[in-house]
Amino acid sequence: MLGRVNHIALAVPDLAEAVERYRSVLGASVTEPEALPEHGVSVVFVTLSNTKVELLEPLGADSPIAAFLAKNPAGGMHHICYEVDDILGARDSLVAAGGRVLGDGSPKIGAHGKPVLFLHPKDFFGTLIELEQV
Ligand code: CO
């Protein structure tokens, strides 16, 4: 079912500081910040040869990462995104196996313009999983 890791998303309390740290300390290639108001985050991508890391900062009043940062004020890993080639098939087999899909269970258009679903972190050992159709 799972393809490649599409991205790993880290929630950070201060995006500018995180960008500076990744650039200056890790020598990373980091994109310019992008506001995604419909997703409640501002984001940059740390571009790597095999995948990308997203640094996410809350944007707006009801950001989906606000509660996470309230619990983890220094920031932390928010989710990992795996690619799937059949998101509805993946969902149906997960649900048949007793897994829980967040929201109403239908894929939404994610931050990269492709259909995504999120799986309940309690079903996967504490890690929020995003599935992205490729
Ligand atoms: Co994501």
Side-chain angles (χ1 to χ4, degrees), residues 7 9 54 56 79 81 111-112 118 130:
H7 60 273
E54 298 180 6
L56 306 173
H79 65 268
C81 177
H112 313 110
F118 285 92
E130 179 179 22

Side-chain angles (χ1 to χ4, degrees), residues 14-71:
D14 183 329
L15 192 58
E17 186 186 351
V19 168
E20 169 57 23
R21 187 86 49 88
Y22 266 75
R23 281 182 178 150
S24 66
V25 178
L26 297 177
S29 168
V30 185
T31 62
E32 290 308 305
E34 195 180 340
L36 302 174
E38 68 279 25
H39 294 286
V41 294
S42 297
V43 61
V44 299
F45 301 103
V46 179
T47 311
L48 304 168
S49 64
N50 60 343
T51 189
K52 56 190 179 276
V53 172
E54 298 180 6
L55 306 178
L56 306 173
E57 179 186 62
L59 175 65
D62 33 56
S63 171
I65 65 170
F68 179 90
L69 277 168
K71 273 188 248 164

